[in-house]
Amino acid sequence: MYLLYGGPGNANLAPHAALQEAGLAEGTDYRFVKLDLKAGDNRKPDYLKLNPHGVVPALVIEQPGSSRVICESAAILMHIADLFPQAGLAPAPGSAERAAYYQWITYLTNTVQARFMNFYHADYFIDGEAGQAAVKAKADTALKEHFAYIDGKLSAAGPYLLGEAFSAADLYLFMLTRWGRNLSRPARDFPQVGKHFERVLARAAVRRTLAIEGIS
Ligand SMILES: N[C@@H](CCC(=O)N[C@@H](CS)C(=O)NCC(=O)O)C(=O)O
């Protein structure tokens, strides 16, 4: 049994969609444990035992006699892709495509996602309204540059990040594009990023994921 802890649309969304892509059923094969971040569920002692940073997601893998926890959305996503190779979410290890897959997911998590933290949580980085507005404005500019870059890459060799082949990296981009709806130029306004979002949104597994998380 897998327990995925998260909140609606939070960094759990991409790993959650990967569980669905792998054909796992919520309630039977895994449980989505919904936390209320506004109420501080992620800072409660029981959750901190799973993810000491107090952020979502965390994936608990329960096996007879043992259980283990994995944190970090990108790590969870890639692990799910590896656990269920039949889902075709990751290229073969050692291939050029696998290298591109690592590159995309690493870039998306440690560069683009990090800028979203500045955008949505400027208060973590600086005190005072003026400073926070400045941090948010810088993050907005940086994120638009990143989506422009991604748009160019999808335009040159789409429709997915790896070209013709859909992969877990696309689930991660889908999640970040959704987060980008509040940018001064919403991420979906970048033409290829918008098309990519629609294409991934059309997947039955992704629609099921959104429904389970309670996102319209
Ligand atoms: N790098 C981490 C970031 C996780 C993260 O910051 N999650 C946010 C939600 S998207 C969170 O839990 N925030 C709660 C808080 O900051 O209190 C990951 O990708 O797993």
Side-chain angles (χ1 to χ4, degrees):
M1 183 58 140
Y2 299 85
L3 304 178
L4 179 64
Y5 289 76
N10 288 121
N12 41 273
L13 186 65
H16 192 177
L19 289 172
Q20 282 289 332
E21 290 281 350
L24 274 68
E26 206 279 334
T28 318
D29 305 312
Y30 77 93
R31 264 198 323 116
F32 178 59
V33 184
K34 208 182 273 188
L35 299 187
D36 185 343
L37 301 194
K38 288 204 175 87
D41 287 353
N42 51 314
R43 305 277 170 188
K44 290 186 177 159
D46 279 354
Y47 184 70
L48 291 175
K49 283 184 203 151
L50 301 178
N51 188 330
H53 303 298
V55 294
V56 293
L59 180 74
V60 177
I61 303 180
E62 288 182 334
Q63 279 162 343
S66 73
S67 85
R68 58 198 166 98
V69 189
I70 309 171
C71 297
E72 289 297 327
S73 55
I76 298 171
L77 177 68
M78 291 191 282
H79 190 53
I80 294 169
D82 289 347
L83 285 174
F84 303 99
Q86 74 282 2
L89 293 173
S95 65
E97 292 78 14
R98 183 78 167 209
Y101 162 86
Y102 286 140
Q103 182 176 321
W104 272 117
I105 292 181
T106 305
Y107 163 73
L108 291 173
T109 192
N110 90 350
T111 303
V112 186
Q113 189 202 39
R115 291 289 80 76
F116 271 113
M117 294 306 155
N118 300 141
F119 183 80
Y120 283 118
H121 280 296
D123 56 315
Y124 287 1
F125 303 97
I126 191 164
D127 290 326
E129 275 180 31
Q132 287 166 16
V135 168
K136 188 170 177 174
K138 287 259 186 202
D140 182 78
T141 301
L143 283 163
K144 285 184 294 184
E145 286 169 7
H146 285 300
F147 280 109
Y149 165 80
I150 295 166
D151 201 72
K153 288 291 185 184
L154 287 171
S155 175
Y160 297 112
L161 290 173
L162 301 182
E164 291 298 323
F166 174 78
S167 76
D170 296 296
L171 296 175
Y172 211 95
L173 175 59
F174 173 82
M175 178 176 84
L176 297 186
T177 302
R178 190 175 168 276
W179 292 3
R181 65 195 180 282
N182 296 318
L183 299 178
S184 58
R185 180 179 177 192
R188 285 169 72 177
D189 276 13
F190 291 85
Q192 300 308 320
V193 172
K195 281 184 194 157
H196 177 274
F197 186 85
E198 294 301 328
R199 201 170 281 119
V200 178
L201 181 62
R203 297 177 74 86
V206 171
R207 291 192 168 276
R208 284 195 301 274
T209 308
L210 294 173
I212 293 163
E213 295 203 2
I215 301 166
S216 59

PDB file of all heavy atoms in Angstrom, residues 55-86:
ATOM      1  N   VAL A  55       6.731  20.005   4.621  1.00  0.00           N
ATOM      2  CA  VAL A  55       6.147  20.327   3.308  1.00  0.00           C
ATOM      3  C   VAL A  55       5.609  19.051   2.679  1.00  0.00           C
ATOM      4  O   VAL A  55       5.996  17.935   3.055  1.00  0.00           O
ATOM      5  CB  VAL A  55       7.190  20.992   2.360  1.00  0.00           C
ATOM      6  CG1 VAL A  55       7.600  22.349   2.893  1.00  0.00           C
ATOM      7  CG2 VAL A  55       8.402  20.091   2.143  1.00  0.00           C
ATOM      8  N   VAL A  56       4.694  19.236   1.730  1.00  0.00           N
ATOM      9  CA  VAL A  56       4.167  18.091   1.000  1.00  0.00           C
ATOM     10  C   VAL A  56       4.815  18.057  -0.378  1.00  0.00           C
ATOM     11  O   VAL A  56       5.195  19.107  -0.899  1.00  0.00           O
ATOM     12  CB  VAL A  56       2.620  18.172   0.858  1.00  0.00           C
ATOM     13  CG1 VAL A  56       1.964  18.018   2.204  1.00  0.00           C
ATOM     14  CG2 VAL A  56       2.154  19.433   0.156  1.00  0.00           C
ATOM     15  N   PRO A  57       4.980  16.868  -0.956  1.00  0.00           N
ATOM     16  CA  PRO A  57       4.413  15.591  -0.544  1.00  0.00           C
ATOM     17  C   PRO A  57       5.362  14.753   0.303  1.00  0.00           C
ATOM     18  O   PRO A  57       6.545  15.076   0.467  1.00  0.00           O
ATOM     19  CB  PRO A  57       4.191  14.881  -1.890  1.00  0.00           C
ATOM     20  CG  PRO A  57       5.340  15.365  -2.743  1.00  0.00           C
ATOM     21  CD  PRO A  57       5.602  16.782  -2.304  1.00  0.00           C
ATOM     22  N   ALA A  58       4.788  13.641   0.801  1.00  0.00           N
ATOM     23  CA  ALA A  58       5.574  12.522   1.339  1.00  0.00           C
ATOM     24  C   ALA A  58       4.867  11.267   0.853  1.00  0.00           C
ATOM     25  O   ALA A  58       3.643  11.221   0.802  1.00  0.00           O
ATOM     26  CB  ALA A  58       5.596  12.571   2.866  1.00  0.00           C
ATOM     27  N   LEU A  59       5.653  10.301   0.462  1.00  0.00           N
ATOM     28  CA  LEU A  59       5.092   9.014   0.033  1.00  0.00           C
ATOM     29  C   LEU A  59       5.560   7.944   1.015  1.00  0.00           C
ATOM     30  O   LEU A  59       6.759   7.775   1.227  1.00  0.00           O
ATOM     31  CB  LEU A  59       5.559   8.639  -1.375  1.00  0.00           C
ATOM     32  CG  LEU A  59       5.013   7.299  -1.903  1.00  0.00           C
ATOM     33  CD1 LEU A  59       3.544   7.427  -2.292  1.00  0.00           C
ATOM     34  CD2 LEU A  59       5.824   6.797  -3.100  1.00  0.00           C
ATOM     35  N   VAL A  60       4.590   7.261   1.606  1.00  0.00           N
ATOM     36  CA  VAL A  60       4.928   6.136   2.489  1.00  0.00           C
ATOM     37  C   VAL A  60       4.667   4.858   1.702  1.00  0.00           C
ATOM     38  O   VAL A  60       3.595   4.687   1.111  1.00  0.00           O
ATOM     39  CB  VAL A  60       4.053   6.156   3.763  1.00  0.00           C
ATOM     40  CG1 VAL A  60       4.365   4.942   4.639  1.00  0.00           C
ATOM     41  CG2 VAL A  60       4.284   7.447   4.543  1.00  0.00           C
ATOM     42  N   ILE A  61       5.672   4.006   1.657  1.00  0.00           N
ATOM     43  CA  ILE A  61       5.514   2.715   0.992  1.00  0.00           C
ATOM     44  C   ILE A  61       5.468   1.662   2.094  1.00  0.00           C
ATOM     45  O   ILE A  61       6.465   1.433   2.783  1.00  0.00           O
ATOM     46  CB  ILE A  61       6.681   2.430   0.015  1.00  0.00           C
ATOM     47  CG1 ILE A  61       6.773   3.553  -1.023  1.00  0.00           C
ATOM     48  CG2 ILE A  61       6.491   1.076  -0.672  1.00  0.00           C
ATOM     49  CD1 ILE A  61       7.886   3.384  -2.043  1.00  0.00           C
ATOM     50  N   GLU A  62       4.269   1.107   2.269  1.00  0.00           N
ATOM     51  CA  GLU A  62       4.081   0.105   3.330  1.00  0.00           C
ATOM     52  C   GLU A  62       4.250  -1.279   2.735  1.00  0.00           C
ATOM     53  O   GLU A  62       3.583  -1.631   1.759  1.00  0.00           O
ATOM     54  CB  GLU A  62       2.662   0.229   3.910  1.00  0.00           C
ATOM     55  CG  GLU A  62       2.473   1.471   4.751  1.00  0.00           C
ATOM     56  CD  GLU A  62       1.070   1.545   5.340  1.00  0.00           C
ATOM     57  OE1 GLU A  62       0.137   0.965   4.750  1.00  0.00           O
ATOM     58  OE2 GLU A  62       0.916   2.199   6.387  1.00  0.00           O
ATOM     59  N   GLN A  63       5.147  -2.028   3.345  1.00  0.00           N
ATOM     60  CA  GLN A  63       5.345  -3.411   2.925  1.00  0.00           C
ATOM     61  C   GLN A  63       5.277  -4.280   4.166  1.00  0.00           C
ATOM     62  O   GLN A  63       5.557  -3.781   5.263  1.00  0.00           O
ATOM     63  CB  GLN A  63       6.702  -3.569   2.222  1.00  0.00           C
ATOM     64  CG  GLN A  63       6.632  -3.135   0.782  1.00  0.00           C
ATOM     65  CD  GLN A  63       7.993  -2.858   0.170  1.00  0.00           C
ATOM     66  OE1 GLN A  63       8.973  -2.684   0.890  1.00  0.00           O
ATOM     67  NE2 GLN A  63       8.045  -2.816  -1.138  1.00  0.00           N
ATOM     68  N   PRO A  64       4.911  -5.552   4.003  1.00  0.00           N
ATOM     69  CA  PRO A  64       4.816  -6.397   5.190  1.00  0.00           C
ATOM     70  C   PRO A  64       6.115  -6.339   5.998  1.00  0.00           C
ATOM     71  O   PRO A  64       7.194  -6.564   5.468  1.00  0.00           O
ATOM     72  CB  PRO A  64       4.590  -7.799   4.607  1.00  0.00           C
ATOM     73  CG  PRO A  64       4.032  -7.558   3.247  1.00  0.00           C
ATOM     74  CD  PRO A  64       4.604  -6.259   2.771  1.00  0.00           C
ATOM     75  N   GLY A  65       5.979  -5.949   7.259  1.00  0.00           N
ATOM     76  CA  GLY A  65       7.142  -5.923   8.144  1.00  0.00           C
ATOM     77  C   GLY A  65       7.993  -4.683   8.049  1.00  0.00           C
ATOM     78  O   GLY A  65       8.929  -4.519   8.829  1.00  0.00           O
ATOM     79  N   SER A  66       7.727  -3.817   7.076  1.00  0.00           N
ATOM     80  CA  SER A  66       8.546  -2.608   6.978  1.00  0.00           C
ATOM     81  C   SER A  66       7.785  -1.528   6.226  1.00  0.00           C
ATOM     82  O   SER A  66       6.867  -1.820   5.462  1.00  0.00           O
ATOM     83  CB  SER A  66       9.856  -2.890   6.224  1.00  0.00           C
ATOM     84  OG  SER A  66       9.580  -3.058   4.857  1.00  0.00           O
ATOM     85  N   SER A  67       8.176  -0.311   6.467  1.00  0.00           N
ATOM     86  CA  SER A  67       7.629   0.756   5.633  1.00  0.00           C
ATOM     87  C   SER A  67       8.703   1.821   5.515  1.00  0.00           C
ATOM     88  O   SER A  67       9.565   1.959   6.378  1.00  0.00           O
ATOM     89  CB  SER A  67       6.325   1.300   6.221  1.00  0.00           C
ATOM     90  OG  SER A  67       6.562   2.271   7.172  1.00  0.00           O
ATOM     91  N   ARG A  68       8.674   2.534   4.384  1.00  0.00           N
ATOM     92  CA  ARG A  68       9.681   3.576   4.190  1.00  0.00           C
ATOM     93  C   ARG A  68       9.011   4.817   3.634  1.00  0.00           C
ATOM     94  O   ARG A  68       7.914   4.741   3.073  1.00  0.00           O
ATOM     95  CB  ARG A  68      10.816   3.092   3.290  1.00  0.00           C
ATOM     96  CG  ARG A  68      10.384   2.625   1.941  1.00  0.00           C
ATOM     97  CD  ARG A  68      11.471   1.753   1.286  1.00  0.00           C
ATOM     98  NE  ARG A  68      10.925   1.050   0.139  1.00  0.00           N
ATOM     99  CZ  ARG A  68      11.079   1.476  -1.114  1.00  0.00           C
ATOM    100  NH1 ARG A  68      11.775   2.557  -1.363  1.00  0.00           N
ATOM    101  NH2 ARG A  68      10.539   0.801  -2.112  1.00  0.00           N
ATOM    102  N   VAL A  69       9.694   5.934   3.789  1.00  0.00           N
ATOM    103  CA  VAL A  69       9.137   7.217   3.372  1.00  0.00           C
ATOM    104  C   VAL A  69      10.069   7.854   2.356  1.00  0.00           C
ATOM    105  O   VAL A  69      11.294   7.806   2.525  1.00  0.00           O
ATOM    106  CB  VAL A  69       9.030   8.199   4.569  1.00  0.00           C
ATOM    107  CG1 VAL A  69       8.251   9.449   4.167  1.00  0.00           C
ATOM    108  CG2 VAL A  69       8.402   7.547   5.759  1.00  0.00           C
ATOM    109  N   ILE A  70       9.475   8.437   1.341  1.00  0.00           N
ATOM    110  CA  ILE A  70      10.267   9.206   0.377  1.00  0.00           C
ATOM    111  C   ILE A  70       9.670  10.604   0.314  1.00  0.00           C
ATOM    112  O   ILE A  70       8.446  10.764   0.236  1.00  0.00           O
ATOM    113  CB  ILE A  70      10.210   8.597  -1.034  1.00  0.00           C
ATOM    114  CG1 ILE A  70      10.539   7.118  -1.005  1.00  0.00           C
ATOM    115  CG2 ILE A  70      11.184   9.309  -1.976  1.00  0.00           C
ATOM    116  CD1 ILE A  70      10.289   6.447  -2.329  1.00  0.00           C
ATOM    117  N   CYS A  71      10.541  11.603   0.344  1.00  0.00           N
ATOM    118  CA  CYS A  71      10.102  12.989   0.206  1.00  0.00           C
ATOM    119  C   CYS A  71      10.717  13.572  -1.067  1.00  0.00           C
ATOM    120  O   CYS A  71      11.550  12.921  -1.698  1.00  0.00           O
ATOM    121  CB  CYS A  71      10.546  13.812   1.416  1.00  0.00           C
ATOM    122  SG  CYS A  71       9.792  13.213   2.952  1.00  0.00           S
ATOM    123  N   GLU A  72      10.307  14.762  -1.397  1.00  0.00           N
ATOM    124  CA  GLU A  72      10.698  15.503  -2.602  1.00  0.00           C
ATOM    125  C   GLU A  72       9.902  15.004  -3.804  1.00  0.00           C
ATOM    126  O   GLU A  72      10.045  13.850  -4.252  1.00  0.00           O
ATOM    127  CB  GLU A  72      12.209  15.441  -2.892  1.00  0.00           C
ATOM    128  CG  GLU A  72      13.045  16.243  -1.914  1.00  0.00           C
ATOM    129  CD  GLU A  72      12.739  17.744  -1.950  1.00  0.00           C
ATOM    130  OE1 GLU A  72      12.401  18.283  -3.014  1.00  0.00           O
ATOM    131  OE2 GLU A  72      12.806  18.372  -0.879  1.00  0.00           O
ATOM    132  N   SER A  73       9.093  15.907  -4.318  1.00  0.00           N
ATOM    133  CA  SER A  73       8.164  15.544  -5.395  1.00  0.00           C
ATOM    134  C   SER A  73       8.865  14.901  -6.591  1.00  0.00           C
ATOM    135  O   SER A  73       8.361  13.912  -7.153  1.00  0.00           O
ATOM    136  CB  SER A  73       7.387  16.785  -5.846  1.00  0.00           C
ATOM    137  OG  SER A  73       8.272  17.826  -6.215  1.00  0.00           O
ATOM    138  N   ALA A  74      10.017  15.440  -6.979  1.00  0.00           N
ATOM    139  CA  ALA A  74      10.695  14.902  -8.169  1.00  0.00           C
ATOM    140  C   ALA A  74      11.213  13.489  -7.893  1.00  0.00           C
ATOM    141  O   ALA A  74      11.129  12.598  -8.757  1.00  0.00           O
ATOM    142  CB  ALA A  74      11.835  15.822  -8.585  1.00  0.00           C
ATOM    143  N   ALA A  75      11.735  13.282  -6.686  1.00  0.00           N
ATOM    144  CA  ALA A  75      12.256  11.946  -6.333  1.00  0.00           C
ATOM    145  C   ALA A  75      11.119  10.929  -6.291  1.00  0.00           C
ATOM    146  O   ALA A  75      11.246   9.802  -6.791  1.00  0.00           O
ATOM    147  CB  ALA A  75      12.972  12.007  -4.984  1.00  0.00           C
ATOM    148  N   ILE A  76       9.997  11.330  -5.714  1.00  0.00           N
ATOM    149  CA  ILE A  76       8.841  10.427  -5.639  1.00  0.00           C
ATOM    150  C   ILE A  76       8.359  10.100  -7.051  1.00  0.00           C
ATOM    151  O   ILE A  76       8.086   8.940  -7.391  1.00  0.00           O
ATOM    152  CB  ILE A  76       7.703  11.062  -4.805  1.00  0.00           C
ATOM    153  CG1 ILE A  76       8.156  11.302  -3.364  1.00  0.00           C
ATOM    154  CG2 ILE A  76       6.460  10.182  -4.836  1.00  0.00           C
ATOM    155  CD1 ILE A  76       7.179  12.130  -2.531  1.00  0.00           C
ATOM    156  N   LEU A  77       8.275  11.128  -7.867  1.00  0.00           N
ATOM    157  CA  LEU A  77       7.806  10.944  -9.251  1.00  0.00           C
ATOM    158  C   LEU A  77       8.703   9.948  -9.998  1.00  0.00           C
ATOM    159  O   LEU A  77       8.217   8.995 -10.629  1.00  0.00           O
ATOM    160  CB  LEU A  77       7.830  12.313  -9.960  1.00  0.00           C
ATOM    161  CG  LEU A  77       7.458  12.336 -11.432  1.00  0.00           C
ATOM    162  CD1 LEU A  77       5.981  11.999 -11.629  1.00  0.00           C
ATOM    163  CD2 LEU A  77       7.759  13.719 -12.033  1.00  0.00           C
ATOM    164  N   MET A  78      10.000  10.160  -9.914  1.00  0.00           N
ATOM    165  CA  MET A  78      10.921   9.281 -10.657  1.00  0.00           C
ATOM    166  C   MET A  78      10.896   7.870 -10.087  1.00  0.00           C
ATOM    167  O   MET A  78      11.019   6.890 -10.827  1.00  0.00           O
ATOM    168  CB  MET A  78      12.334   9.864 -10.644  1.00  0.00           C
ATOM    169  CG  MET A  78      12.434  11.131 -11.479  1.00  0.00           C
ATOM    170  SD  MET A  78      14.118  11.690 -11.777  1.00  0.00           S
ATOM    171  CE  MET A  78      14.518  12.449 -10.216  1.00  0.00           C
ATOM    172  N   HIS A  79      10.719   7.757  -8.774  1.00  0.00           N
ATOM    173  CA  HIS A  79      10.666   6.424  -8.169  1.00  0.00           C
ATOM    174  C   HIS A  79       9.419   5.668  -8.639  1.00  0.00           C
ATOM    175  O   HIS A  79       9.492   4.476  -8.960  1.00  0.00           O
ATOM    176  CB  HIS A  79      10.700   6.549  -6.646  1.00  0.00           C
ATOM    177  CG  HIS A  79      10.892   5.255  -5.935  1.00  0.00           C
ATOM    178  ND1 HIS A  79      11.931   4.382  -6.223  1.00  0.00           N
ATOM    179  CD2 HIS A  79      10.172   4.649  -4.948  1.00  0.00           C
ATOM    180  CE1 HIS A  79      11.834   3.312  -5.446  1.00  0.00           C
ATOM    181  NE2 HIS A  79      10.772   3.446  -4.672  1.00  0.00           N
ATOM    182  N   ILE A  80       8.302   6.365  -8.699  1.00  0.00           N
ATOM    183  CA  ILE A  80       7.070   5.715  -9.189  1.00  0.00           C
ATOM    184  C   ILE A  80       7.270   5.265 -10.639  1.00  0.00           C
ATOM    185  O   ILE A  80       6.888   4.148 -11.011  1.00  0.00           O
ATOM    186  CB  ILE A  80       5.853   6.665  -9.050  1.00  0.00           C
ATOM    187  CG1 ILE A  80       5.557   6.915  -7.568  1.00  0.00           C
ATOM    188  CG2 ILE A  80       4.622   6.081  -9.756  1.00  0.00           C
ATOM    189  CD1 ILE A  80       4.563   8.037  -7.303  1.00  0.00           C
ATOM    190  N   ALA A  81       7.889   6.132 -11.429  1.00  0.00           N
ATOM    191  CA  ALA A  81       8.147   5.760 -12.834  1.00  0.00           C
ATOM    192  C   ALA A  81       9.004   4.491 -12.906  1.00  0.00           C
ATOM    193  O   ALA A  81       8.780   3.624 -13.758  1.00  0.00           O
ATOM    194  CB  ALA A  81       8.828   6.920 -13.552  1.00  0.00           C
ATOM    195  N   ASP A  82       9.951   4.365 -12.003  1.00  0.00           N
ATOM    196  CA  ASP A  82      10.826   3.181 -11.996  1.00  0.00           C
ATOM    197  C   ASP A  82      10.120   1.938 -11.460  1.00  0.00           C
ATOM    198  O   ASP A  82      10.385   0.816 -11.912  1.00  0.00           O
ATOM    199  CB  ASP A  82      12.081   3.450 -11.157  1.00  0.00           C
ATOM    200  CG  ASP A  82      13.024   4.426 -11.831  1.00  0.00           C
ATOM    201  OD1 ASP A  82      12.835   4.699 -13.036  1.00  0.00           O
ATOM    202  OD2 ASP A  82      13.937   4.934 -11.151  1.00  0.00           O
ATOM    203  N   LEU A  83       9.228   2.149 -10.470  1.00  0.00           N
ATOM    204  CA  LEU A  83       8.528   0.999  -9.877  1.00  0.00           C
ATOM    205  C   LEU A  83       7.539   0.367 -10.857  1.00  0.00           C
ATOM    206  O   LEU A  83       7.246  -0.823 -10.771  1.00  0.00           O
ATOM    207  CB  LEU A  83       7.750   1.447  -8.628  1.00  0.00           C
ATOM    208  CG  LEU A  83       8.554   1.730  -7.369  1.00  0.00           C
ATOM    209  CD1 LEU A  83       7.636   2.298  -6.284  1.00  0.00           C
ATOM    210  CD2 LEU A  83       9.248   0.476  -6.865  1.00  0.00           C
ATOM    211  N   PHE A  84       7.016   1.201 -11.778  1.00  0.00           N
ATOM    212  CA  PHE A  84       5.972   0.707 -12.700  1.00  0.00           C
ATOM    213  C   PHE A  84       6.409   0.966 -14.141  1.00  0.00           C
ATOM    214  O   PHE A  84       5.835   1.818 -14.833  1.00  0.00           O
ATOM    215  CB  PHE A  84       4.633   1.394 -12.394  1.00  0.00           C
ATOM    216  CG  PHE A  84       4.176   1.196 -10.970  1.00  0.00           C
ATOM    217  CD1 PHE A  84       4.382   2.173 -10.009  1.00  0.00           C
ATOM    218  CD2 PHE A  84       3.578  -0.003 -10.587  1.00  0.00           C
ATOM    219  CE1 PHE A  84       3.991   1.976  -8.688  1.00  0.00           C
ATOM    220  CE2 PHE A  84       3.183  -0.211  -9.269  1.00  0.00           C
ATOM    221  CZ  PHE A  84       3.399   0.788  -8.313  1.00  0.00           C
ATOM    222  N   PRO A  85       7.415   0.240 -14.604  1.00  0.00           N
ATOM    223  CA  PRO A  85       7.952   0.517 -15.945  1.00  0.00           C
ATOM    224  C   PRO A  85       6.922   0.325 -17.058  1.00  0.00           C
ATOM    225  O   PRO A  85       7.014   0.959 -18.110  1.00  0.00           O
ATOM    226  CB  PRO A  85       9.113  -0.487 -16.082  1.00  0.00           C
ATOM    227  CG  PRO A  85       8.929  -1.480 -14.989  1.00  0.00           C
ATOM    228  CD  PRO A  85       8.141  -0.831 -13.911  1.00  0.00           C
ATOM    229  N   GLN A  86       5.914  -0.524 -16.768  1.00  0.00           N
ATOM    230  CA  GLN A  86       4.890  -0.764 -17.801  1.00  0.00           C
ATOM    231  C   GLN A  86       4.105   0.500 -18.141  1.00  0.00           C
ATOM    232  O   GLN A  86       3.475   0.587 -19.207  1.00  0.00           O
ATOM    233  CB  GLN A  86       3.945  -1.904 -17.375  1.00  0.00           C
ATOM    234  CG  GLN A  86       2.947  -1.573 -16.285  1.00  0.00           C
ATOM    235  CD  GLN A  86       3.533  -1.565 -14.861  1.00  0.00           C
ATOM    236  OE1 GLN A  86       4.726  -1.771 -14.667  1.00  0.00           O
ATOM    237  NE2 GLN A  86       2.690  -1.315 -13.873  1.00  0.00           N
TER     238      GLN A  86
END
